[in-house]
Amino acid sequence: MGDTLEFNNIHTEVKGSWNDGRLRFSKQSLVYKSHKTGKVDSIPAPELSAAQWRRVCVGHGIKLATSTGHVYRYDGFRDTDFEKISAFFKANYKVELAEKDMCVKGWNWGTAKFTGSLLSFDVNDSPVFEIPLASVSQCATGKNEVTVEFHQNDDAEVSLMEVRFYVPPNTGDDGSDPVEAFAQNVLSKADVIQATGDAVCIFKELQCLTPRGRYDIRIYPTFLHLHGKTFDYKIPYTTVLRLFLLPHKDQRQMFFVISLDPPIKQGQTRYHFLILLFSKDEELSLALNMSEDEVEKRYEGKLSKNMSGSLYEIVSRVMKALVNRKITVPGNFQGHSGSQCITCAYKASSGLLYPLERGFIYVHKPPVHLRFEEISCVNFARGTTTTRSFDFEIETKQNNQYTFSNIEREEYGKLFDFVNAKKLNIKNRGIKEGMKGADGYSDSDEDQHDAYLERMKEEGKIREEGDGSDESEGDSDESFNPGEEDDDVPEEYDSNASVSDSEADDADSEDEGKKKKPEKKPKKVVKEKKERKPRKEKKVKDPGAPKRPMSAYMLWLNGNRERIKSENPGISVTEISKKAGEMWKQLSKDRKEEWDRKAEEAKKQYEKAMKEYRESGGGAAASVTKEKKKKGGKVEAKKKSRGEKEKKKEIVNESFKSKEFISSEESSSESEHDRGSKHKASEDEEEAASTPASSEEESGSD
């Protein structure tokens, strides 16, 4: 047998909610670490006094009792684990692992036993249920009755509010009231905060970011009291998980962060972190409300009666001594600007992200703490609004995703090297390292599919195909549109070198007058052009054609839809699809192959039916109908284009005259060679419409 035994997926009950973790037995101690919070429970081996093995709702469990009066319960073991755990306890702890059965008779009359911090209700010396007194928030008495109220856990789906015990009205041996004696036993171990005695010290008007406001902090031996203008909070030191001391980016302020589990409540709002903001310039002289001998005896040199220095140093020192937790500070990470944090945005608020030695913490709204051991992977993504920044995405093993956006691109290299050194799984490592430029960052985003870009490309292709059929008409529209091509008209007249100055001036003035008149009309021409959109041909479905076969997943879903509905009453349609997708992923390979075979058979039947359908001439009717619609659409398009052509010619004849008409007789008697050169100069603009109009005018003038 080895020196240690280790078990994963071991559960412990915390105020009505199951938390899983890892339990390790060694020769020196028993250590349990929660996966959710990272909190560690350590039981020294010499303190272990008793151990029980029993059947519980999630397999088998172990109940451990210590000489200090604490009781620990861990569930989730298998039946086969009993022998090796029993042998390990005998060999290393000299403790017998006794088997104890729970009473399942359903009786509600029995004996209440107080063992350390545990209340056990027994029937015939067999426990029916047990109540950890640390979960009790209040205890009230009545006539022959004791009411026990419990702390609420937000993570629990169902919460136990209270339990009432009926106590018979007989007096004890010493004449005491049994109801009061029962209540005193509960309150002696219950987690009920009572401000008795004087505070160890008081800090006045400290600035608190969450919950927001200024609070007086009274330090008591067992709890912390926040007193504000509107709200008061009492925080037991047992609920403090971690302490953080973080420098602000401006190097003039300090954050002191207290992590809490369970959180403090304000209405429906939960505060998992208490964040205090200090200025480095604030100084304080503090005297503890205790004698020097008492301070030395209780805190073993961690505190002194009289202390002076920076306010944040004194607060952190006092909290460290009373809570008995280490203070976490940033490690050796250094950003582009030399600070130990990165400016970024989480959700809708801007804040600071601190890379620590064992995790990340973001302050301040909302605060987020992520340990490396709960991170599944990280991802570097290009910023959605600008290429000067990037996003840092963190995905946890519980499938939660945290996106820290608007990080300056200069921080990319530092953050990438830090994540790489901590051996975190980088989702797009290969892509990013291949694309990294000189500055360690690339704007390329080709590794992701852009659906919007693909749709724009498809629409562009459709427009090009629609405009290609009427290319000549499009050219004639552009050459005769005075609103779009104002600069091309005078170039046409400048090419006539034989026109005299006076005639040119007259022509220019006449041209300017003609330009001004039709300036409002081109809008109609442009609108007509925009209205002409390519028609998408709709596919004509034949109702008699065989239906396409379903995939293996869809066949499985149709066969299990009712079962999912019955197992999850009131579930919506979208939640059914989501639940079905998760169940399909967890389906074994053999089961999936069974549905794949059914899908393959359905596909063969479809192909066979489709072949018979085509041989019987089923697809011909649909194709004939499609061709008729296509031809009809082309005829209508041609008629419309002819009408538009006639309208454009009328606009041209009213608005413009060709250069031959407005020139003098001298210019009209020019040689054919000169006319040919003029036509070549304006050939690109008059090819479709100007040449026929000018030839008609010449014949009229002759």
Side-chain angles (χ1 to χ4, degrees):
M1 181 180 293
D3 294 338
T4 60
L5 282 179
E6 190 166 325
F7 300 91
N8 290 317
N9 298 322
I10 301 300
H11 305 278
T12 181
E13 185 265 334
V14 180
K15 297 180 181 178
S17 176
W18 289 106
N19 290 347
D20 63 328
R22 186 174 71 252
L23 180 64
R24 181 168 58 87
F25 299 114
S26 64
K27 291 183 177 180
Q28 294 78 22
S29 63
L30 290 80
V31 179
Y32 177 81
K33 186 173 184 179
S34 172
H35 289 161
K36 180 185 175 183
T37 61
K39 187 177 181 180
V40 177
D41 293 333
S42 181
I43 307 172
E47 293 184 3
L48 188 64
S49 59
Q52 287 183 1
W53 177 271
R54 52 191 182 174
R55 181 69 182 269
V56 291
C57 60
V58 285
H60 291 77
I62 288 180
K63 176 185 173 183
L64 304 175
T66 64
S67 56
T68 57
H70 292 88
V71 178
Y72 301 88
R73 296 180 300 170
Y74 302 107
D75 301 339
F77 295 96
R78 292 175 295 182
D79 191 15
T80 55
D81 296 332
F82 172 74
E83 293 181 0
K84 55 183 178 182
I85 295 175
S86 178
F88 188 88
F89 275 38
K90 283 182 181 178
N92 297 284
Y93 304 145
K94 304 297 187 290
V95 174
E96 183 76 23
L97 184 61
E99 292 187 74
K100 187 76 173 179
D101 294 330
M102 303 288 288
C103 180
V104 292
K105 292 181 178 180
W107 292 4
N108 63 346
W109 185 267
T111 306
K113 292 182 179 179
F114 292 91
T115 307
S117 60
L118 199 69
L119 167 60
S120 176
F121 185 78
D122 297 353
V123 174
N124 297 331
D125 292 332
S126 295
V128 179
F129 61 86
E130 295 173 338
I131 299 176
L133 295 179
S135 300
V136 176
S137 63
Q138 193 55 263
C139 182
T141 60
K143 186 179 180 181
N144 301 330
E145 191 175 72
V146 178
T147 302
V148 179
E149 299 179 6
F150 300 97
H151 290 290
Q152 302 305 303
N153 191 339
D154 295 332
D155 297 331
E157 296 181 2
V158 180
S159 296
L160 178 63
M161 302 296 293
E162 65 177 33
V163 174
R164 294 185 181 183
F165 293 93
Y166 173 78
V167 182
N170 56 337
T171 59
D173 297 336
D174 54 353
S176 60
D177 186 4
V179 174
E180 289 296 329
F182 189 99
Q184 288 301 321
N185 284 330
V186 172
L187 289 173
S188 63
K189 299 294 183 179
D191 188 11
V192 180
I193 300 174
Q194 296 177 349
T196 57
D198 297 331
V200 176
C201 60
I202 301 174
F203 299 101
K204 295 282 189 180
E205 292 290 323
L206 295 185
Q207 183 181 356
C208 193
L209 299 181
T210 53
R212 187 178 177 182
R214 287 192 173 270
Y215 290 85
D216 293 343
I217 299 182
R218 301 173 185 271
I219 305 295
Y220 288 90
T222 58
F223 68 95
L224 180 72
H225 183 201
L226 267 70
H227 175 69
K229 293 181 179 180
T230 310
F231 299 101
D232 277 12
Y233 302 99
K234 293 179 181 178
I235 305 172
Y237 295 143
T238 55
T239 65
V240 176
L241 284 180
R242 294 175 184 85
L243 302 174
F244 301 91
L245 188 62
L246 309 170
H248 197 281
K249 194 171 186 179
D250 60 9
Q251 301 299 325
R252 293 182 296 176
Q253 301 179 96
M254 297 290 291
F255 293 110
F256 185 65
V257 184
I258 302 174
S259 175
L260 303 173
D261 184 48
I264 56 178
K265 304 176 184 179
Q266 181 178 310
Q268 296 298 320
T269 308
R270 304 291 185 266
Y271 296 105
H272 291 269
F273 294 88
L274 177 65
I275 302 180
L276 303 173
L277 182 62
F278 300 97
S279 173
K280 286 187 175 181
D281 299 332
E282 290 184 83
E283 300 286 336
L284 179 70
S285 295
L286 180 68
L288 300 182
N289 191 19
M290 302 169 68
S291 63
E292 291 186 3
D293 295 339
E294 194 175 357
V295 171
E296 181 66 27
K297 181 180 179 181
R298 181 175 294 184
Y299 302 114
E300 300 176 352
K302 296 178 182 178
L303 297 177
S304 57
K305 179 175 174 58
N306 298 302
M307 295 181 289
S308 62
S310 298
L311 178 59
Y312 74 90
E313 290 180 349
I314 294 177
V315 172
S316 59
R317 184 179 173 186
V318 170
M319 289 298 299
K320 179 182 178 182
L322 271 73
V323 177
N324 198 21
R325 301 275 183 189
K326 294 181 180 179
I327 295 180
T328 304
V329 297
N332 55 5
F333 174 81
Q334 204 167 35
H336 176 72
S337 60
S339 60
Q340 295 178 300
C341 58
I342 296 172
T343 304
C344 61
Y346 176 61
K347 294 185 177 179
S349 301
S350 178
L352 299 173
L353 179 66
Y354 290 85
L356 308 174
E357 287 300 315
R358 296 184 180 180
F360 294 97
I361 186 170
Y362 172 83
V363 290
H364 74 97
K365 194 174 181 180
V368 177
H369 179 233
L370 298 169
R371 294 173 286 114
F372 289 156
E373 59 190 31
E374 63 178 331
I375 294 176
S376 172
C377 62
V378 299
N379 181 34
F380 293 89
R382 191 179 70 177
T384 55
T385 56
T386 176
T387 58
R388 296 182 180 179
S389 64
F390 68 95
D391 297 348
F392 182 55
E393 300 171 352
I394 299 177
E395 188 174 336
T396 64
K397 294 177 181 177
Q398 288 78 27
N399 295 324
N400 297 323
Q401 186 167 339
Y402 300 85
T403 302
F404 303 97
S405 57
N406 296 337
I407 304 176
E408 296 178 359
R409 60 184 295 175
E410 288 80 6
E411 304 284 2
Y412 175 81
K414 300 281 187 180
L415 186 57
F416 184 88
D417 293 340
F418 175 82
V419 171
N420 202 22
K422 296 300 179 183
K423 298 181 181 180
L424 295 178
N425 181 22
I426 302 176
K427 201 172 186 179
N428 53 352
R429 177 190 296 273
I431 297 171
K432 288 294 176 184
E433 289 183 343
M435 295 192 307
K436 265 200 303 185
D439 58 350
Y441 181 77
S442 172
D443 294 338
S444 175
D445 200 21
E446 296 176 357
D447 56 313
Q448 296 184 0
H449 176 71
D450 195 338
Y452 177 76
L453 179 61
E454 295 296 330
R455 193 176 69 187
M456 290 296 102
K457 287 180 179 179
E458 291 297 327
E459 291 182 2
K461 289 179 182 179
I462 294 171
R463 287 197 188 97
E464 288 176 3
E465 292 172 0
D467 294 342
S469 60
D470 298 328
E471 186 176 358
S472 60
E473 294 178 16
D475 293 340
S476 64
D477 291 345
E478 292 175 2
S479 63
F480 278 96
N481 189 349
E484 293 181 357
E485 302 291 343
D486 289 344
D487 297 335
D488 292 341
V489 178
E491 288 180 13
E492 183 180 356
Y493 297 105
D494 293 341
S495 64
N496 187 0
S498 62
V499 179
S500 63
D501 295 338
S502 60
E503 289 171 345
D505 294 337
D506 295 337
D508 292 338
S509 61
E510 186 179 355
D511 186 336
E512 289 174 3
K514 289 177 182 178
K515 278 186 190 177
K516 292 178 182 177
K517 289 180 182 178
E519 280 180 356
K520 296 181 181 177
K521 292 183 180 179
K523 295 180 181 177
K524 297 181 180 179
V525 179
V526 175
K527 284 182 181 177
E528 289 176 3
K529 187 176 179 180
K530 285 185 179 178
E531 287 173 1
R532 192 157 43 88
K533 293 181 179 178
R535 291 188 180 90
K536 294 183 180 179
E537 297 178 0
K538 295 183 179 178
K539 294 183 179 180
V540 180
K541 293 184 179 179
D542 189 354
K547 292 185 178 180
R548 290 181 177 275
M550 288 188 288
S551 64
Y553 169 72
M554 291 305 297
L555 289 171
W556 173 85
L557 178 59
N558 288 342
N560 292 270
R561 190 186 302 275
E562 294 301 324
R563 181 170 66 87
I564 296 173
K565 284 184 179 180
S566 62
E567 291 177 357
N568 303 274
I571 191 171
S572 63
V573 178
T574 54
E575 290 173 345
I576 289 175
S577 302
K578 186 177 179 181
K579 184 73 175 177
E582 294 174 356
M583 293 172 66
W584 176 255
K585 285 181 181 179
Q586 297 173 0
L587 210 62
S588 64
K589 189 176 180 181
D590 297 337
R591 294 292 306 279
K592 283 187 178 180
E593 287 178 356
E594 177 185 346
W595 291 101
D596 287 337
R597 286 195 297 271
K598 292 181 180 180
E600 191 65 29
E601 291 174 4
K603 185 178 179 182
K604 290 178 181 179
Q605 293 177 3
Y606 167 76
E607 291 174 352
K608 183 179 178 182
M610 199 66 187
K611 186 177 179 182
E612 295 175 355
Y613 170 72
R614 285 172 180 164
E615 289 176 355
S616 62
S623 61
V624 169
T625 309
K626 192 174 179 181
E627 286 296 325
K628 283 182 180 180
K629 285 195 173 184
K630 199 170 183 180
K631 288 179 182 179
K634 285 184 178 179
V635 170
E636 289 178 5
K638 285 182 179 180
K639 286 181 180 180
K640 188 174 180 181
S641 63
R642 284 176 186 173
E644 291 174 353
K645 214 170 184 182
E646 294 296 331
K647 286 181 183 178
K648 291 168 187 172
K649 283 183 180 180
E650 290 175 7
I651 293 169
V652 171
N653 291 334
E654 289 176 7
S655 306
F656 292 89
K657 291 182 181 179
S658 65
K659 61 186 179 182
E660 290 84 3
F661 183 78
I662 64 173
S663 63
S664 64
E665 294 178 359
E666 182 181 351
S667 62
S668 63
S669 62
E670 287 176 358
S671 62
E672 292 295 327
H673 176 71
D674 294 334
R675 289 186 182 182
S677 62
K678 292 176 186 177
H679 282 293
K680 285 180 180 178
S682 59
E683 184 178 4
D684 294 338
E685 300 175 8
E686 296 181 340
E687 181 181 357
S690 179
T691 303
S694 62
S695 62
E696 290 174 7
E697 291 166 0
E698 282 179 345
S699 62
S701 63
D702 291 338

